[in-house]
Amino acid sequence: MGWNPYNAYACDTVESQYHSNAQALVDLGLDSLGYEYLNLDCGWQGTARNSSGGITWNTAAIPNGVPALGKFVHDLGLKFGVYSDGGYFACDTVGGTAHFLGSLGFEMQDAATFASWGADYLKYDNCYAVSTTDFVDFDPPIEIEPHYTTMRDALSATDRPILFSACEWGVQDPARWPASAVVNSWRISNDIGPPSSWDNIFRIVNQLVPITGFAGPGGWNDLDLLEVGNIGLTMAEQQTHFTFWAAAKSPLIISTDLTEISEEAVGILTNTRVIALNQDSLGQSISFKRRYTNDHDVWAGPLSDGSMVAVVIEMQNSSRAITFNLSDVGYTSATAINVITGALLGTLENSRINPVIAPQPTFTFYDAAASGNVLAGGASTRIVNNTITVVGFVGNGGTLEFTGVDGGASGGTKLLSVDYINADFTPTNTDCSNCRNAFMSVNGGTAVQVQMPLSGQSWDILFHGYLVSLSGFKPGKTNIVQISNPSAYTPDFYRLGVAV
């Protein structure tokens, strides 16, 4: 927890702004709630090393020097974070032309310098990681992990405890390195901003879906800096953003001008009940439970006291009632607390649950590649992991029909469970950022849109158990479930389960 200037000032932060925001952390009481790191970001470095090869600072931005700035921060009782880059040059906001110093090839020397300055934290970026001419590369031709293991070892050699934060934008799926063996936190996605927007948040939410299980004490999925206090999000969106980040156990790094922050934004950042979710000693992230496409998401996870936190994300950007089905998180009844307000609730609109466990539905599964199914318009089978067969190229004219599906004795509406693969990920906002749309219909009825998040950054990683309710089933085993998309590809499908 702490503060970083990037979303407020980009790479143009100057010494006086570091001073004023460090003082504001204390004056607003944020430090006493756990916001203890005051971190540098891009723009503090010089553009040429000294005669000994040492890293230098930008004297126009930091006229009194980084060591003096670190002392100022420490004298306030805060911890001091520095920033560098695992490339030839660091990131900037002028198209890569600033050529701020990076640490590639100078890891041991720079780590020792940071330690001598009293650094408690290092954010390590990923610009110019491939060459001196390749500024930002989201699909680099080299392995990025060694840049981080080299700096990890260099920091370890200083004998100073320095929290190591990898900012490599989720490139090459760091959660599965596993990053927890290399760094203390790892960015899972491209930048959240600036500018701030709900689309950025939804893109990052989708990218978190397959990797929540990789986070835990000592190593955390980093969803990027907080946008609370910045223009572009409503207060309700800021509250949702903060609560989700907290429950996902992401670092909570404020990134706004604290000298001008509103009382409402301070109220969000100082909610001790939400902070407690983030700092819960169990350290387990919420995980994706259910998506009601274009309506709401349900995420949930356990807490150290035996209770559960459930986060319901409203997706229509409107003030309305949402029915929270306890069955989506595996329970039939609950004593509920609204963590945001602290109110005791006897309703389904809740965030924290003391549960009564519900029986789980039993699904009858149908393989997508089964011989009785109908593949048309280019849809075809392929083998992944050398073991399972999936159906791909569904959409853009391709369709997949599951035939002979059992609608039970009564037909009607059924709960379906879908296993699929979607390895696409994007660093930018799209129509369905880090997800694919499928349209599912039963017996020729109206198709239902289903937004299916990233399954992992590999076409060999399955997502198990995406839940969707569909109506139109007939009694007996003569039902047809069709999957299509008129204008884009769906994920690749492994199997479909139906609860009867």
Side-chain angles (χ1 to χ4, degrees):
M1 297 175 66
W3 180 89
N4 176 290
Y6 186 78
N7 288 345
Y9 309 114
C11 294
D12 301 317
T13 318
V14 297
E15 185 175 272
S16 61
Q17 291 166 328
Y18 283 116
H19 281 192
S20 62
N21 280 275
Q23 188 65 56
L25 277 175
V26 176
D27 293 345
L28 293 170
L30 292 163
D31 61 328
S32 65
L33 298 177
Y35 296 97
E36 59 181 351
Y37 289 94
L38 190 289
N39 298 336
L40 304 182
D41 210 287
C42 54
W44 74 265
Q45 308 101 309
T47 56
R49 291 181 174 269
N50 62 28
S51 59
S52 301
I55 196 166
T56 58
W57 57 80
N58 178 349
T59 56
I62 315 290
N64 290 303
V66 175
L69 179 54
K71 182 178 185 304
F72 176 87
V73 171
H74 284 147
D75 286 348
L76 288 173
L78 301 171
K79 293 182 178 179
F80 179 55
V82 296
Y83 164 97
S84 193
D85 191 289
Y88 295 93
F89 306 112
C91 299
D92 61 46
T93 51
V94 287
T97 61
H99 284 178
F100 299 127
L101 292 170
S103 289
L104 185 62
F106 294 88
E107 291 88 352
M108 291 295 293
Q109 190 168 2
D110 287 356
T113 298
F114 301 151
S116 73
W117 293 346
D120 304 297
Y121 180 112
L122 173 62
K123 175 181 176 180
Y124 206 48
D125 223 330
N126 194 37
C127 291
Y128 285 109
V130 175
S131 71
T132 57
T133 58
D134 194 347
F135 176 38
V136 173
D137 194 330
F138 290 104
D139 187 22
I142 63 171
E143 293 296 318
I144 298 300
E145 181 182 357
H147 292 180
Y148 290 86
T149 55
T150 301
M151 181 53 85
R152 173 201 63 189
D153 295 342
L155 292 172
S156 179
T158 69
D159 292 326
R160 180 177 178 83
I162 299 175
L163 191 152
F164 189 21
S165 172
C167 180
E168 55 82 79
W169 327 316
V171 170
Q172 296 175 346
D173 202 3
R176 290 184 172 86
W177 289 348
S180 57
V182 182
V183 295
N184 301 113
S185 67
W186 52 92
R187 280 275 300 280
I188 71 165
S189 67
N190 192 19
D191 295 354
I192 192 173
S196 60
S197 72
W198 181 257
D199 287 344
N200 285 331
I201 292 171
F202 186 59
R203 166 174 54 83
I204 294 170
V205 166
N206 280 326
Q207 200 156 349
L208 179 66
V209 168
I211 58 172
T212 53
F214 291 91
W220 310 102
N221 287 315
D222 180 358
L223 280 59
D224 202 7
L225 305 169
L226 293 170
E227 291 282 21
V228 178
N230 293 329
I231 296 171
L233 296 174
T234 67
M235 295 312 298
E237 289 170 337
Q238 292 181 46
Q239 178 69 75
T240 303
H241 159 45
F242 181 68
T243 303
F244 187 90
W245 262 230
K249 306 302 187 287
S250 175
L252 299 180
I253 308 295
I254 301 167
S255 191
T256 193
D257 183 351
L258 290 175
T259 67
E260 297 184 357
I261 192 170
S262 69
E263 291 184 8
E264 293 86 351
V266 171
I268 292 171
L269 294 170
T270 57
N271 188 319
T272 55
R273 292 177 297 274
V274 178
I275 292 172
L277 299 178
N278 184 254
Q279 299 294 305
D280 182 73
S281 60
L282 184 63
Q284 186 166 332
S285 171
I286 53 172
S287 61
F288 177 77
K289 300 299 181 184
R290 182 100 183 246
R291 171 163 294 167
Y292 297 84
T293 296
N294 297 324
D295 194 273
H296 67 280
D297 266 13
V298 179
W299 293 65
L303 298 169
S304 59
D305 64 0
S307 64
M308 171 178 281
V309 57
V311 179
V312 181
I313 307 176
E314 197 278 333
M315 293 295 189
Q316 291 189 7
N317 197 23
S318 63
S319 179
R320 61 192 179 97
I322 291 177
T323 298
F324 169 39
N325 296 311
L326 286 172
S327 60
D328 287 343
V329 295
Y331 303 113
T332 58
S333 63
T335 301
I337 301 170
N338 184 324
V339 173
I340 293 172
T341 66
L344 300 177
L345 301 174
T347 71
L348 294 178
E349 297 175 356
N350 63 83
S351 297
R352 190 168 180 170
I353 307 167
N354 297 313
V356 176
I357 297 176
Q360 297 301 300
T362 300
F363 294 97
T364 300
F365 285 99
Y366 304 85
D367 289 344
S371 58
N373 292 340
V374 178
L375 281 60
S380 59
T381 61
R382 66 184 184 89
I383 297 175
V384 297
N385 275 337
N386 297 315
T387 56
I388 65 171
T389 302
V390 298
V391 174
F393 297 101
V394 178
N396 282 323
T399 59
L400 164 63
E401 288 186 350
F402 290 85
T403 62
V405 177
D406 189 359
S410 59
T413 298
K414 301 297 178 186
L415 180 66
L416 279 63
S417 175
V418 185
D419 295 351
Y420 67 87
I421 295 177
N422 166 25
D424 286 341
F425 77 98
T426 176
T428 56
N429 298 326
T430 62
D431 180 56
C432 188
S433 297
N434 294 318
C435 64
R436 284 191 177 191
N437 280 306
F439 291 84
M440 303 180 69
S441 63
V442 178
N443 296 323
T446 302
V448 173
Q449 179 188 358
V450 184
Q451 282 188 334
M452 310 182 85
L454 183 74
S455 68
Q457 292 180 30
S458 165
W459 286 100
D460 288 338
I461 298 173
L462 277 169
F463 181 94
H464 292 278
Y466 185 98
L467 300 177
V468 59
S469 292
L470 295 179
S471 62
F473 283 88
K474 300 178 294 187
K477 300 180 180 180
T478 60
N479 293 279
I480 297 173
V481 177
Q482 185 187 80
I483 303 177
S484 63
N485 185 323
S487 59
Y489 284 116
T490 73
D492 292 2
F493 293 94
Y494 172 52
R495 65 179 186 173
L496 174 74
V498 181
V500 296

